[in-house]
Amino acid sequence: MRNQRWVEVTVGAFMLLGFAALLFLAFKVSGLAQSSEQDGFEVEACFGDIGGLKPRSRVTLAGVTVGRVAAIDLDFQWFEACVTLQLDKNLANKLTTDTAAAIQTAGLLGDNYISLTPGIDETYLAAGDSLKDTQSALILEQLVNQFISNSSKD
Amino acid sequence: MLDWLARLGRQGLLLTTALGRSSIFLFQSLAGFPKSSEALTLWLRQVYSVGVLSLIIILVSGLFIGMVLALQGYTILVDFGAEQALGQMVALSLTRELAPVVAALLFAGRAGSALTAEIGLMKATEQLSSLEMIGVDPLRRIIAPRLLAGFVALPVLTIIFTFVGVWGGWLVGVDWLGVDEGAFWSNMQSSVSFREDVLNGVIKSLVFAFVVTWIAVFQGYDLVPTSEGISRATTRTVVYSSLAVLGLDFVLTALMFSNL
């Protein structure tokens, strides 16, 4: 057995390591508090239905990931879901104001993500702007229901 | 026929007396533990030998179990285009089941057997009797610090195991197989709840710590003081505590997660 000092120091470090691991489990694994990265700029987009979109979902442009969903809030005036997008800071003042945002699904059963399509305006998006041209998520069950009710009329 | 019945009865009586002895033993050693700085020193020394010295095996196996989970999960999930649920799968299986159980099994093999052998050898060389002779209660001086150290060390080891396992899963899933990092963490965070999953895992490991340490220390204290007796008791420690951990795990899972 080593001397007492060594024992005390290593047991202290052991306890500290356990505590740090518990903090990691609390904040990173179970997401008790969301920490947001500060590099980038935020724009807002409101959708009629966001389907299964979650905070930290991807935002893509031409299939390349260019940002994350920072927050999702309900707009109490129009009862729409207003999504705050955090975009790569290299895109600031490069996207036009008529950029379209659509909620897509990766594969048939995969995760929802937002895909951006650039527009043709002369003015450019800055931090805090909101996207007007939005397209809600396609809900598979609703499509199937529509298809069934349409085909039963025939 | 009557012989068979008598043998069964004898077994039952032996089992009941062993249970009773071990409960009295547990109660006496825990009730008499003094709260002085000397007792703290004894306890620290035991936390070092059962906790800190088990750290390497816990770190390595946690890392590899996390990595294997991610690799196996990926090959199955990718068929359904659902590989983004990898983080959720790795984190849930680690926090709920694998970390408490595997850490307890490793702890029984690494620290439990060492406890049994150490106390058994003390008994065989009559160190326990000589302690009693000079008026020191071996239950307080030898047994209680080891019990309390085990109760604390295994839950801490389990938390570290989970942490390393999730990190290993991230390493394989995100770094190597190219699962999207945001989806990995966001799916994990939206499905793992701190109270339901993380805390229940810690409660499981508290129960396992209690059972494994109790079995290990009692087997050491209660063995036949010969070299053969020590080897038998060490084997029994590992076998009994593994069986107890696996059986209790089913009961605890049924209690905790059956309605989720």
Side-chain angles (χ1 to χ4, degrees), chain B residues 8-73:
Chain B
L8 192 69
R10 196 160 57 234
Q11 290 293 328
L13 281 176
L14 279 178
L15 185 73
T16 323
T17 47
L19 266 179
R21 250 189 333 209
S22 60
S23 305
I24 291 170
F25 158 83
L26 179 73
F27 182 74
Q28 280 182 343
S29 33
L30 286 187
F33 192 57
K35 288 167 190 63
S36 62
S37 67
E38 197 210 348
L40 189 73
T41 312
L42 286 173
W43 177 77
L44 272 179
R45 226 160 240 282
Q46 291 311 316
V47 174
Y48 176 79
S49 71
V50 298
V52 177
L53 294 183
S54 310
L55 201 54
I56 296 294
I57 190 175
I58 291 288
L59 287 177
V60 172
S61 43
L63 182 68
F64 278 105
I65 283 184
M67 283 162 70
V68 163
L69 264 180
L71 197 54
Q72 289 279 15

Side-chain angles (χ1 to χ4, degrees), chain B residues 222-239:
Chain B
D222 201 48
L223 51 69
V224 184
T226 58
S227 45
E228 198 198 351
I230 292 177
S231 86
R232 276 196 183 173
T234 316
T235 314
R236 270 208 302 270
T237 296
V238 177
V239 173

Side-chain angles (χ1 to χ4, degrees), chain B residues 202-258:
Chain B
V202 174
I203 291 171
K204 264 189 183 179
S205 75
L206 280 170
V207 175
F208 295 160
F210 181 77
V211 170
V212 170
T213 322
W214 183 17
I215 290 178
V217 172
F218 179 69
Q219 289 293 343
Y221 193 72
D222 201 48
L223 51 69
V224 184
T226 58
S227 45
E228 198 198 351
I230 292 177
S231 86
R232 276 196 183 173
T234 316
T235 314
R236 270 208 302 270
T237 296
V238 177
V239 173
Y240 287 176
S241 31
S242 306
L243 289 179
V245 164
L246 294 171
L248 274 174
D249 180 53
F250 175 75
V251 176
L252 288 173
T253 304
L255 286 177
M256 287 169 175
F257 299 115
S258 58

Side-chain angles (χ1 to χ4, degrees), chain A residues 50-58 68-72 83 111-113, chain B residues 88 183 186-187 189-191:
Chain A
I50 55 165
L53 198 74
K54 293 189 211 75
R56 293 184 61 85
S57 293
R58 287 188 301 154
R68 303 272 167 210
V69 171
I72 299 174
V83 178
D111 263 21
N112 286 111
Y113 64 96
Chain B
Q88 167 182 357
S186 75
N187 273 327
Q189 286 167 359
S190 61
S191 62

Side-chain angles (χ1 to χ4, degrees), chain B residues 2-12:
Chain B
L2 219 57
D3 272 359
W4 180 80
L5 204 64
R7 209 180 309 140
L8 192 69
R10 196 160 57 234
Q11 290 293 328

